[in-house]
Amino acid sequence: MIREKNKRVFLTGCALLTLGILVITPLIGIETISPTAVLDPVRGGSDFQLFWQLRFPRVLIAMLAGAGLAVSGMAYQALFRNPMATPFTLGVSSGASLGAALYVSAGLSFSLLGVSGISLAAFAGSILSILFVYGFTRVSRGFSTTTMLLAGIAASFFFSSVILFLQYVSDFTQSFLILRWLMGGLGVVGYRSVLDVLPFVLSGGAITVALTHELNLLVSGEEIAVSRGVNAVRVRKLIFFATSLMVGGIVAITGPIGFVGMMVPHICRLILGPDHRQLIPATLLLGGAFLAICDT
């Protein structure tokens, strides 16, 4: 853990690293033209289109997905006071995967307002999972984290079982498509997917930042948080809906990418300590940079 006076230096370094990755990684592997040619549509030709329609959007979606998944994992780890918590602990990813599997197994093919049908089906599945966990947890007084966790695990196992059944009864092509989606991926064309994910990451990240003080107190213990004036039930609901919707929006576009939400918060916590005033911005920045590097 670094000293307090060095934490700002580390955060500045994370910001510069993220900016450098945003500029450099789309250029890696370009051999047919010089990096400056990507700014000139006449000289670049098809390579100019390749860069701006495939490479750069891919880096942007990687950074948004990495930042959103990382900060969601950090919020869940604080909420449940469990270092093993991930963005997919509450079954949002399994619900989205079930929606995508149903879309593929039904042989559907459509788009709505420029959004692919499989993304819409996956997001609908994530909403179903969120409503299930919320409804089940409402039965317990106080919206307890234990009941929320149990409901999320139950939903995850149930949805995963249905996905396996769908793969079993599907033909080879459908089973392969389901498996390919479950692997996750960052292949996008153009900026529509980036614009679709951006509102989820911005809103979820903003709510998490606004709850910095409450997260610090919840990590210390619910009794301490309540004694300091924190409305624990309200905070749990806000974190649950903000992070779950953010994860659902990301997974609907990229598929489940699980390792970022587990690894990055722990890396930042080891370096900066448990204070969410520095932990949240570092996790957002390093999460985006980390996934972009892994994809590259």
Side-chain angles (χ1 to χ4, degrees):
M1 188 184 303
I2 61 178
R3 296 179 179 179
E4 187 70 29
K5 64 180 181 180
N6 294 327
K7 290 182 179 180
R8 289 186 178 180
V9 176
F10 177 78
L11 290 174
T12 303
C14 287
L16 293 175
L17 173 66
T18 303
L19 181 61
I21 290 172
L22 179 64
V23 173
I24 294 172
T25 50
L27 298 172
I28 294 177
I30 291 181
E31 299 176 354
T32 57
I33 57 174
S34 64
T36 55
V38 300
L39 301 176
D40 187 351
V42 177
R43 291 176 56 197
S46 61
D47 290 313
F48 175 88
Q49 297 296 326
L50 182 69
F51 179 88
W52 289 110
Q53 295 299 315
L54 293 178
R55 283 175 169 267
F56 195 65
R58 187 181 183 109
V59 174
L60 289 178
I61 200 72
M63 287 193 160
L64 286 173
L69 294 174
V71 79
S72 297
M74 181 219 66
Y76 283 150
Q77 289 164 12
L79 180 65
F80 296 116
R81 300 177 66 191
N82 187 335
M84 298 302 293
T86 73
F88 306 146
T89 297
L90 297 184
V92 177
S93 174
S94 297
S97 299
L98 176 59
L102 287 170
Y103 176 88
V104 172
S105 61
L108 300 176
S109 180
F110 68 90
S111 63
L112 181 64
L113 299 177
V115 182
S116 67
I118 194 168
S119 294
L120 292 172
F123 186 69
S126 67
I127 294 296
L128 174 65
S129 177
I130 292 170
L131 293 176
F132 173 82
V133 174
Y134 177 75
F136 194 87
T137 310
R138 286 283 295 173
V139 177
S140 172
R141 291 186 177 182
F143 205 78
S144 69
T145 54
T146 302
T147 306
M148 190 191 308
L149 187 60
L150 290 173
I153 293 174
S156 181
F157 277 117
F158 174 73
F159 293 147
S160 297
S161 300
V162 177
I163 292 169
L164 289 174
F165 174 75
L166 289 174
Q167 286 185 289
Y168 179 75
V169 299
S170 299
D171 59 31
F172 178 81
T173 301
Q174 292 174 336
S175 182
F176 174 80
L177 291 174
I178 293 173
L179 179 62
R180 178 63 189 87
W181 195 90
L182 292 174
M183 292 174 64
L186 298 170
V188 296
V189 178
Y191 297 91
R192 180 55 194 258
S193 296
V194 176
L195 295 176
D196 290 338
V197 170
L198 184 60
F200 292 100
V201 177
L202 288 179
S203 58
I207 292 174
T208 306
V209 170
L211 295 174
T212 299
H213 177 67
E214 288 80 359
L215 285 172
N216 280 337
L217 291 175
L218 284 175
V219 170
S220 302
E222 187 170 326
E223 293 81 6
I224 295 176
V226 173
S227 67
R228 297 293 180 87
V230 174
N231 187 335
V233 175
R234 175 177 171 272
V235 171
R236 280 197 292 267
K237 288 182 180 180
L238 282 173
I239 293 174
F240 168 69
F241 281 110
T243 54
S244 295
L245 287 171
M246 177 163 58
V247 171
I250 293 170
V251 173
I253 300 297
T254 66
I257 303 175
F259 62 94
V260 182
M262 170 66 79
M263 294 177 61
V264 173
H266 285 302
I267 293 172
C268 295
R269 196 176 286 109
L270 285 171
I271 298 173
L272 293 172
D275 190 348
H276 288 83
R277 289 176 297 178
Q278 290 87 31
L279 191 58
I280 291 175
T283 301
L284 283 166
L285 292 169
L286 196 59
F290 181 77
L291 185 56
I293 291 173
C294 290
D295 183 56
T296 301

